[in-house]
Amino acid sequence: MTLPSTHDVALAAERRSAARLLLAHPLVTSDGPHADLFPLIRRHADWLGKRFQQVLGYRLLIDSSYARLFKAGLGAGAGRRLERSTGTPFTPHTYACLALALSVLVTAPEQLLLSQLVADIRAAAADAEIELDETGRAAGKRTLVAALRLLVGWGVLIETEGHVAALAQDAGGEALITVDRELARVVVAGPLAQARDGADLVRRAADPGFGGPRTYVRRMLVETPVVYLDELTDAERDWLRTRQRREAQAFSELLGLEMEIRAEGVALVDPEDELTDLHLPGTGTVAQAALLLVERLVERLRPREPGHPATGGTLVIGVAVPDSLVDELLAELVAEYGQRSNWQRDYLEDIRALREAVLDLLARMRLMARTGRLRAEGYGLPEGYADEAPEGRTVTDVRGVRPGGDGWVLLAAAARYATHVTVSPATAVGKGTDVQEELPL
């Protein structure tokens, strides 16, 4: 076997760095926070464009001043949310402000005053019959500022003189804004012209088209922390299980990711921990409480004899979480760790808010989930989509691998966050106790 040359190794490393950057930051500008790597993207533009199209069905547009990777999304309820600088997620009202601002900016003059931009947004809202009365109040102004600050971060708006945050001042501040209309036009990734409404836009954008199950499963792998088998159709499970070893090699070469294959599903792991926007373990009250909660849930709810169907075992992807158990365990954790770990006072005084934030994080990490219909049951499939395995092929039966009903489910990957402590007998040489930690999944 011929070993790759130094040039080949360096070339592959450059392309991998550019691909990883675009996957994590789909809009990269020549003067933005990742400007130092923009020349690398342009240098490998042709290769990157072909690979993203072939592997994930994503279109890559590279201009002299920006690169835009058009990610398609995974359908309703599976998007990556936008957040304010404080980490607070965008509300529907904030998303409406963002969409209205973009609708105005694509035809706006190159420079305009902040007050004129706000007036144009209000006019666009009136044309679309969207209620934006709150923009005249303090909360409404802060919401609009959050949307505009995001556009500043993307490079669509440039604060030439003053800041968009002046809008939230009591006296009503002013600023001079420069608009990059070209960037404003490429922000939205879905097929706007064909969509009837927002829901239709999300559905159409997620349609993998000719790539079918192959493209959808690959997108699931790179865009979510873990892919469970019962979240895939028969055709998707068949494709994944017959291709997973080759896919592992392909994703390693393209993005430097390692594939972890389990009976319950598959996850792509980033050894450099750069490609995720979710971290667990993490810092802060919510992350600490979530880690402790999931560990105790696993201790209480671990299935007795899960196994692999191929060896006669029983596949278990999720177990039901009793309604009162989360509240009971969170109360214990607050009493045990709240004061000594200096958790946020707001959460200590409002356990319901802490519960909501913790479950939200665990759901986005795909360690817990709400019960409900799954893709394996035909939910959320685009029209004409292939959901059955090729004739004569047998796929893993996923019926009953997670409970139905109404409530929360603890998912298989949660077991990674609960350690076993194994105490070995003291040996003749070492009289102390040997403690070993294992990850059970």
Side-chain angles (χ1 to χ4, degrees), residues 369-381:
R370 280 280 192 186
T371 54
R373 295 189 62 195
L374 298 169
R375 192 176 176 86
E377 301 167 341
Y379 176 72
L381 300 181

Side-chain angles (χ1 to χ4, degrees), residues 78 86 132 137 245 247-248 264 292 294 296 298 320 354 373:
T86 58
L132 278 187
R137 303 171 185 171
R245 300 295 175 186
E247 291 299 303
E264 302 87 353
L292 292 165
V294 79
R296 297 194 177 188
V298 171
L354 178 61
R373 295 189 62 195

Side-chain angles (χ1 to χ4, degrees), residues 44-81:
H44 300 290
D46 290 342
W47 185 88
L48 290 167
K50 291 177 182 176
R51 291 299 286 159
F52 274 117
Q53 186 64 52
Q54 291 170 352
V55 176
L56 297 168
Y58 292 163
R59 182 167 68 95
L60 177 62
L61 176 63
I62 299 180
D63 190 75
S64 59
S65 60
Y66 69 87
R68 175 73 169 108
L69 181 65
F70 293 92
K71 290 189 175 186
L74 296 168
R80 174 188 171 190
R81 71 188 189 188

Side-chain angles (χ1 to χ4, degrees), residues 230-280:
D230 65 339
E231 295 174 325
L232 303 177
T233 66
D234 286 358
E236 290 163 353
R237 291 201 303 280
D238 174 70
W239 183 86
L240 177 61
R241 283 312 194 199
T242 55
R243 292 276 311 187
Q244 57 194 15
R245 300 295 175 186
R246 281 173 285 186
E247 291 299 303
Q249 181 65 29
F251 278 114
S252 175
E253 293 174 358
L254 175 62
L255 297 168
L257 301 176
E258 297 176 357
M259 183 176 284
E260 188 170 310
I261 301 170
R262 301 282 181 172
E264 302 87 353
V266 175
L268 286 179
V269 180
D270 181 15
E272 299 181 28
D273 201 23
E274 293 176 342
L275 291 184
T276 182
D277 55 350
L278 294 171
H279 296 278
L280 193 71

Side-chain angles (χ1 to χ4, degrees), residues 47-248:
W47 185 88
L48 290 167
K50 291 177 182 176
R51 291 299 286 159
F52 274 117
Q53 186 64 52
Q54 291 170 352
V55 176
L56 297 168
Y58 292 163
R59 182 167 68 95
L60 177 62
L61 176 63
I62 299 180
D63 190 75
S64 59
S65 60
Y66 69 87
R68 175 73 169 108
L69 181 65
F70 293 92
K71 290 189 175 186
L74 296 168
R80 174 188 171 190
R81 71 188 189 188
L82 296 175
E83 297 178 345
R84 299 188 184 196
S85 57
T86 58
T88 304
F90 271 28
T91 64
H93 188 70
T94 322
Y95 282 110
C97 289
L98 179 62
L100 289 167
L102 284 170
S103 72
V104 167
L105 293 173
V106 293
T107 56
E110 184 175 350
Q111 286 193 327
L112 76 169
L113 293 173
L114 178 61
S115 57
Q116 182 60 52
L117 175 58
V118 173
D120 291 345
I121 291 173
R122 292 177 68 86
D127 289 344
E129 299 181 349
I130 296 175
E131 184 65 49
L132 278 187
D133 282 345
E134 288 187 11
T135 54
R137 303 171 185 171
K141 288 180 179 178
R142 288 195 295 271
T143 300
L144 182 54
V145 166
L148 297 180
R149 290 183 69 176
L150 183 65
L151 292 171
V152 171
W154 286 344
V156 175
L157 296 180
I158 301 166
E159 296 169 311
T160 304
E161 189 171 327
H163 302 281
V164 296
L167 176 65
Q169 296 176 357
D170 293 338
E174 188 60 279
L176 179 62
I177 305 298
T178 299
V179 181
D180 189 326
R181 293 187 295 264
E182 187 63 26
L183 274 188
R185 293 189 183 99
V186 300
V187 165
V188 179
L192 282 174
Q194 293 86 17
R196 296 186 298 273
D197 50 36
D200 191 40
L201 175 64
V202 171
R203 184 186 63 79
R204 287 176 180 273
D207 188 344
F210 294 113
R214 176 191 67 226
T215 298
Y216 187 83
V217 174
R218 284 172 172 169
R219 288 175 181 174
M220 283 280 284
L221 287 169
V222 298
E223 304 292 356
T224 62
V226 57
V227 179
Y228 296 105
L229 287 188
D230 65 339
E231 295 174 325
L232 303 177
T233 66
D234 286 358
E236 290 163 353
R237 291 201 303 280
D238 174 70
W239 183 86
L240 177 61
R241 283 312 194 199
T242 55
R243 292 276 311 187
Q244 57 194 15
R245 300 295 175 186
R246 281 173 285 186
E247 291 299 303

